[in-house]
Amino acid sequence: MRFLTKNLSLPVIVTWLIYVFLLVPSLVVIPISFGTSNELVFPPQDWGLDLYRRALDPAEGWLAAAGRSMVLGILATTIALLMGVPAAYGLSRSRFPGQKALTFMLMSPIFAPTIVVALALYLYFATLGMTGTMAALAMSHAVVITPFILVTTLSGLKHLDRNIENAAMVMGATRLQIFFHVVLPALKGSVLTGGLFAFLLSFDEVIVSWFIARSDQPTLPVKMYSSIQWEISPVLSAISTFLVAITVVGSVVAAFISSAETDGI
Amino acid sequence: MTTPMLRRDGRTRTMLNRLGFGSFVLPLTLFMLLVFCLPLIGVVRTSICDGDCSLVAYVDFATGKLFHRALINTLSIGFVTGLVSVICGYFVAYHLSRMTARRRRFFLVLVMLPFWTSILVKSFAFTVILGTDGIINNALQAVTGTDIVIPMIFNRAGVIIGMAHWLIPFAVFPILSSLLSQDKALRDAAEIMGARPWDIFWKVTFPLSLPGVIAGGLMSSVIGMGSFVTPALLGGRRDMMMANLVDFYVREALDWRMASAIAVILVLIALLILSLAAWLRQRQESGAAA
């Protein structure tokens, strides 16, 4: 429909404006982060790395928060992968009564409003006397990110040739052997991309952490949240640039893995 | 004598296999029962029983002015952002649907980048862009030479801009998939019969993409209604939504029962809208079949 796009120039302009609208907020923080002043100005008058120096200053607490988020992300992703990948395999390779309901239950953290999940986990861990612990945080994040592992693993499993598994079974391999020696190696790509996205989700998660984390030991997003709420400091632009960079690197790596996988097939 | 042996052997084998699959799903199932379902049941219980058991929290919700405002805010902000996201998402999805798969891959990254960017980065960026001393207002002042200030933040406009930005990708994907599933021959046929581009769009393309539009709209509305960060950071005092009220009752008022009741009502609203979506889809499918 060549001439359609040519004739409808107004819709085309609107479309490009929407792309700009989508991209600008992620990009605008980058030039600001290389400014030096104590006020937020765009474009910056002087350029320098002052804001990064301040962001890395241990006294500001950003480094500790980033470290906490990193540890939390790794823990939660590990829990989610250890339980999610086998579960996806079990769900995709068997039929049993109530399977639909079980799948819905396992996926439901995606549909439930995050605030409700956050409140539920807060009350739960408060009754158990575990609020503020890393264990509570890691389990809470695992609940939120496991459905995404399920989705990516299930879609990876769909592309696997079932005949290879059948062949292994005919030759006498047990379920576990098939899972570890046949399915997992073939599934490496989707498990890696799923894990990567799950980690990013956990690293950026703010609402559940806002309820569960101790206020004197915030994760990076929680520290950002309270910082934006109280005073909007230019240091935030350096932190934001760091987060955008992580997102871009993560997405590029994920795209690379998945395209390598499709090329391989 | 050998046949029953074999049969038994076969039976044990299938049973073991079944158990084998069960053991793959079991750990996650137990985990979700313990750390997701049980806590959710706890919320419903706390909304009624916190010390003593009564429906006082729900009665308060039904009668309190603060709750009415939060409820109306939640519904209206959710509806408006859903609408804005669908309109913006349609432009993007249409653009994406009319290009080669290779080019689409690149443009999808442009849509996914904001999707994956932390909501805090975006909120911070919007305070810089929309603020009274922000980029847009500064540019306006420079261009017009006046000290005009358009209030775009800490009000309803800020919430809707911030939320639409976050929800547009959720609208793009269902619309894109319904646009891509359309048979190009239909449009070609309309074109051959002399229909003009606008007519083809409004009489062929758009009606056929309605399922995607409805799915995207309801999806982004529901997600928007549960949002917490955007109204807290980009909205004013009057834009408090139900999620923010939950936070308020947990942290400031220390009233777990009220917080839980608000959460239960929020889930009920989301369920209602989602089942409306399912019903619409079902009706459409049976309509298409008939």
Side-chain angles (χ1 to χ4, degrees):
Chain A
M1 212 102 319
R2 241 168 313 114
F3 59 87
L4 185 71
T5 36
K6 213 186 277 175
N7 283 358
L8 300 181
S9 55
L10 184 65
V12 172
I13 294 168
V14 174
T15 308
W16 283 103
L17 283 177
I18 295 169
Y19 278 118
V20 170
F21 170 63
L22 284 175
L23 284 175
V24 158
S26 309
L27 300 179
V28 78
V29 293
I30 299 171
I32 298 174
S33 73
F34 293 104
T36 52
S37 87
N38 274 323
E39 273 170 74
L40 276 168
V41 273
F42 182 88
Q45 313 292 315
D46 302 297
W47 302 84
L49 293 172
D50 275 16
L51 295 173
Y52 287 91
R53 238 166 263 139
R54 273 174 61 191
L56 291 173
D57 182 358
E60 298 257 356
W62 290 105
L63 263 182
R68 226 168 272 130
S69 285
M70 192 70 83
V71 172
L72 172 59
I74 292 170
L75 280 177
T77 308
T78 311
I79 299 175
L81 282 173
L82 284 179
M83 292 185 306
V85 175
Y89 176 63
L91 284 175
S92 75
R93 294 296 187 258
S94 61
R95 292 283 161 271
F96 51 87
Q99 187 171 16
K100 259 196 169 164
L102 180 67
T103 312
F104 178 79
M105 189 270 271
L106 298 179
M107 294 287 199
S108 49
I110 288 189
F111 314 115
T114 320
I115 185 76
V116 177
V117 181
L119 174 73
L121 291 165
Y122 171 80
L123 297 181
Y124 186 65
F125 286 119
T127 343
L128 295 177
M130 282 174 69
T131 17
T133 61
M134 190 46 110
L137 267 175
M139 282 195 273
S140 307
H141 276 213
V143 166
V144 177
I145 65 180
T146 307
F148 293 91
I149 300 271
L150 282 179
V151 171
T152 47
T153 314
L154 280 173
S155 86
L157 280 163
K158 234 181 244 169
H159 299 298
L160 285 195
D161 187 356
R162 296 269 295 258
N163 285 325
I164 303 173
E165 290 161 58
N166 290 338
M169 190 144 69
V170 169
M171 305 224 264
T174 62
R175 280 266 160 245
L176 271 184
Q177 283 173 326
I178 297 175
F179 179 68
F180 281 110
H181 297 294
V182 179
V183 176
L184 262 193
L187 216 55
K188 218 169 36 191
S190 9
V191 170
L192 270 177
T193 36
L196 198 65
F197 280 134
F199 174 81
L200 286 179
L201 276 177
S202 161
F203 197 79
D204 282 345
E205 205 290 326
V206 59
I207 304 176
V208 172
S209 309
W210 170 249
F211 276 77
I212 310 271
R214 273 174 57 173
S215 52
D216 59 337
Q217 290 176 359
T219 64
L220 188 61
V222 168
K223 189 167 165 60
M224 280 188 84
Y225 177 76
S226 32
S227 173
I228 299 175
Q229 218 171 15
W230 299 120
E231 43 112 34
I232 297 166
S233 143
V235 178
L236 284 165
S237 64
I239 314 283
S240 297
T241 304
F242 166 68
L243 284 176
V244 170
I246 284 195
T247 308
V248 171
V249 170
S251 312
V252 167
V253 171
F256 185 75
I257 296 173
S258 64
S259 76
E261 187 152 86
T262 41
D263 289 348
I265 288 169
Chain B
M1 273 313 276
T2 45
T3 334
M5 277 296 285
L6 255 180
R7 237 166 83 203
R8 206 153 112 211
D9 194 23
R11 205 180 286 159
T12 1
R13 203 185 162 114
T14 38
M15 238 179 76
L16 267 178
N17 270 342
R18 210 173 273 166
L19 265 183
F21 278 129
S23 62
F24 282 102
V25 190
L26 197 64
L28 183 62
T29 307
L30 284 180
F31 178 76
M32 292 304 263
L33 281 176
L34 277 177
V35 192
F36 183 68
C37 296
L38 206 57
L40 279 187
I41 295 168
V43 170
V44 178
R45 212 197 54 161
T46 310
S47 74
I48 301 166
C49 297
D50 191 22
D52 58 317
C53 289
S54 75
L55 288 174
V56 61
Y58 292 96
V59 174
D60 282 353
F61 190 95
T63 51
K65 253 197 165 148
L66 178 67
F67 304 116
H68 291 174
R69 162 153 327 148
L71 182 66
I72 292 167
N73 280 351
T74 304
L75 293 174
S76 59
I77 292 177
F79 177 73
V80 173
T81 31
L83 195 68
V84 173
S85 307
V86 160
I87 295 172
C88 295
Y90 203 101
F91 279 100
V92 173
Y94 187 86
H95 179 238
L96 289 171
S97 74
R98 297 289 182 267
M99 56 175 70
T100 59
R102 216 187 156 76
R103 236 168 97 87
R104 192 179 309 131
R105 236 192 206 177
F106 167 75
F107 275 91
L108 275 176
V109 173
L110 297 191
V111 180
M112 288 313 279
L113 180 69
F115 180 77
W116 282 105
T117 303
S118 160
I119 190 148
L120 295 158
V121 172
K122 292 188 277 194
S123 303
F124 168 69
F126 276 122
T127 59
V128 177
I129 297 169
L130 306 173
T132 43
D133 202 23
I135 296 173
I136 292 182
N137 275 321
N138 277 342
L140 271 179
Q141 287 163 11
V143 169
T144 58
T146 56
D147 39 356
I148 179 176
V149 168
I150 304 176
M152 285 175 289
I153 199 172
F154 308 131
N155 56 22
R156 189 58 58 95
V159 179
I160 287 169
I161 293 173
M163 258 165 60
H165 184 268
W166 169 49
L167 294 171
I168 285 173
F170 289 93
V172 167
F173 288 101
I175 299 175
L176 177 63
S177 81
S178 78
L179 282 174
L180 285 177
S181 68
Q182 287 178 18
D183 192 349
K184 191 175 175 297
L186 281 172
R187 295 197 304 274
D188 290 344
E191 196 188 326
I192 291 164
M193 305 224 269
R196 281 166 313 173
W198 266 114
D199 294 331
I200 298 177
F201 177 77
W202 285 113
K203 296 201 173 134
V204 180
T205 311
F206 184 71
L208 283 174
S209 65
L210 266 179
V213 170
I214 291 169
L218 290 177
M219 187 77 197
S220 40
S221 292
V222 168
I223 299 174
M225 283 177 195
S227 67
F228 166 74
V229 175
T230 316
L233 294 181
L234 299 181
R237 286 218 156 274
R238 302 172 52 88
D239 302 305
M240 203 182 223
M241 291 172 72
M242 283 168 76
N244 307 107
L245 220 49
V246 172
D247 182 44
F248 172 80
Y249 273 97
V250 171
R251 288 172 172 269
E252 319 279 329
L254 304 175
D255 184 347
W256 287 4
R257 190 198 314 239
M258 197 65 228
S260 301
I262 299 167
V264 170
I265 294 167
L266 187 60
V267 170
L268 288 180
I269 294 173
L271 278 178
L272 198 73
I273 295 173
L274 287 176
S275 39
L276 177 76
W279 178 74
L280 276 175
R281 192 165 52 215
Q282 215 165 30
R283 215 182 61 151
Q284 204 142 33
E285 266 160 19
S286 61

